[in-house]
Amino acid sequence: MPRAETEEQEQFREYFTARHDAVRRTAYVLCGDWHWADDLTQAAFIRLATGWRTVRDRGALDAFVRTCLVRAYLSDVKRVWRRRERSVAEPPDRAGSGNSAERADGRMTFEAALRKLPPRQRAVLLCRYYQDLDVAETAATLGCSQGTVKSQAARGLAKLKELLNEQSTMLGGRR
């Protein structure tokens, strides 16, 4: 006879169901690969599941999962096997309308430029501008000083701007 879910298990299941897709999208922005994003999402939720009983403030769950996600990503980047293999998405079977195709092209250009940034800078930019965290929250998420967040954000934005300008120049030269 199957056991009924405890109240804690039910709370975790409800939180997981509500937040899984958002955490997965955030992971994708970090790593640029849906399969890797699934792995990172799983690692973050496993960490949350193991610490579920110790979380006192249920309002801080999003911050806890975000911290787990970013730290799993930064840890994963250091692994040698992760650097050897890069998967690439297949192009769509049919082209979209001009406007949506331009947006998709711009998004792909931006994502490609973002992936060229060092992992730490990418994580800082994700926390600051995608997750809309302030400097102190970003520093707490990454486990570093606020000065590091500021310098990594400045360097990351400058490099991103440089990469996007290069891409724009290359596209402009071909037309």
Side-chain angles (χ1 to χ4, degrees), residues 17-49:
T17 302
R19 299 298 300 153
H20 178 266
D21 290 339
V23 172
R24 184 174 181 254
R25 284 190 303 272
T26 300
Y28 176 77
V29 172
L30 266 176
C31 67
D33 178 285
W34 283 112
H35 298 290
W36 190 7
D38 288 335
D39 293 345
L40 294 172
T41 302
Q42 181 179 8
F45 278 111
I46 286 172
R47 175 67 183 98
L48 175 63

Side-chain angles (χ1 to χ4, degrees), residues 78-92:
K78 295 176 186 174
R79 295 195 174 123
V80 174
W81 62 268
R82 203 37 103 180
R83 288 186 223 134
R84 282 194 322 238
E85 187 175 322
R86 296 275 185 229
S87 61
V88 282
E90 293 293 321

Side-chain angles (χ1 to χ4, degrees), residues 35-154:
H35 298 290
W36 190 7
D38 288 335
D39 293 345
L40 294 172
T41 302
Q42 181 179 8
F45 278 111
I46 286 172
R47 175 67 183 98
L48 175 63
T50 59
W52 186 260
R53 291 176 182 229
T54 62
V55 176
R56 292 185 186 130
D57 181 9
R58 297 292 187 204
L61 287 173
D62 287 343
F64 184 80
V65 170
R66 180 176 40 249
T67 298
C68 293
L69 180 69
V70 170
R71 290 184 181 174
Y73 164 71
L74 291 173
S75 174
D76 232 12
V77 168
K78 295 176 186 174
R79 295 195 174 123
V80 174
W81 62 268
R82 203 37 103 180
R83 288 186 223 134
R84 282 194 322 238
E85 187 175 322
R86 296 275 185 229
S87 61
V88 282
E90 293 293 321
D93 291 335
R94 60 186 174 97
S97 67
N99 194 18
S100 66
E102 287 175 18
R103 279 195 311 263
D105 187 43
R107 189 170 46 250
M108 288 176 17
T109 301
F110 179 78
E111 287 177 3
L114 192 61
R115 280 192 292 277
K116 290 180 182 176
L117 295 178
R120 195 80 158 160
Q121 289 177 5
R122 190 180 325 159
V124 166
L125 293 180
L126 172 105
C127 289
R128 290 284 291 130
Y129 303 108
Y130 185 76
Q131 293 286 317
D132 200 28
L133 301 179
D134 64 22
V135 173
E137 292 170 322
T138 301
T141 297
L142 297 174
C144 63
S145 71
Q146 291 184 24
T148 300
V149 169
K150 291 175 187 178
S151 66
Q152 291 292 304

